[in-house]
Amino acid sequence: VETGRQYRFQVRAINNCDTDDPSRSCYGEFSEVQLFTVRDPRPPLPPSMPQRDSATRVVSSNEATIAVSWSPPLDNGGSPITGYILYMKDHDGTMSNHALGHDTTSWEASGLRPGEVYRFHV
């Protein structure tokens, strides 16, 4: 398989036709020809911007929880998404990151200080 080349594919079904003779096969019609062009892989588009989730809450006067969620990218660049990294910038500028699975599209940070600014990106 070479990048930039076009390939043609056809498929058809093959079934066993005779229960007494499993080696006897029946062949269906071929599908119409489908053309596919192999392209260079490209970086995926980013997921959507994280949004504050409804689970965000002030637990007490000293503690808050922020929940964020996002949508997967519209274009994965030709490869499956294998995971996300969520970055959180604390009120004092400290940056942390959290590796998340490919099917995770939300995250919750607890033990935060109410009234402080926290920044997130995925």
Side-chain angles (χ1 to χ4, degrees), residues 26-39:
C26 293
Y27 297 89
E29 296 292 319
F30 275 103
S31 69
E32 294 201 20
V33 173
Q34 297 293 314
L35 298 176
F36 294 93
T37 303
V38 177
R39 62 178 170 82

Side-chain angles (χ1 to χ4, degrees), residues 60-73:
S60 71
S61 61
N62 298 326
E63 184 182 350
T65 297
I66 297 176
V68 294
S69 60
W70 60 92
S71 297

Side-chain angles (χ1 to χ4, degrees), residues 39-113:
R39 62 178 170 82
D40 286 324
R42 62 183 185 276
L45 294 175
S48 66
M49 181 175 73
Q51 301 291 317
R52 185 178 61 198
D53 194 273
S54 61
T56 296
R57 62 197 176 282
V58 174
V59 178
S60 71
S61 61
N62 298 326
E63 184 182 350
T65 297
I66 297 176
V68 294
S69 60
W70 60 92
S71 297
L74 296 175
D75 181 356
N76 64 12
S79 297
I81 300 299
T82 58
Y84 297 98
I85 299 176
L86 181 125
Y87 296 90
M88 182 178 109
K89 190 172 189 178
D90 218 335
H91 61 82
D92 63 2
T94 303
M95 182 74 88
S96 59
N97 63 65
H98 308 275
L100 305 170
H102 72 281
D103 57 348
T104 301
T105 55
S106 63
W107 189 78
E108 196 171 283
S110 58
L112 306 178
R113 293 170 43 184

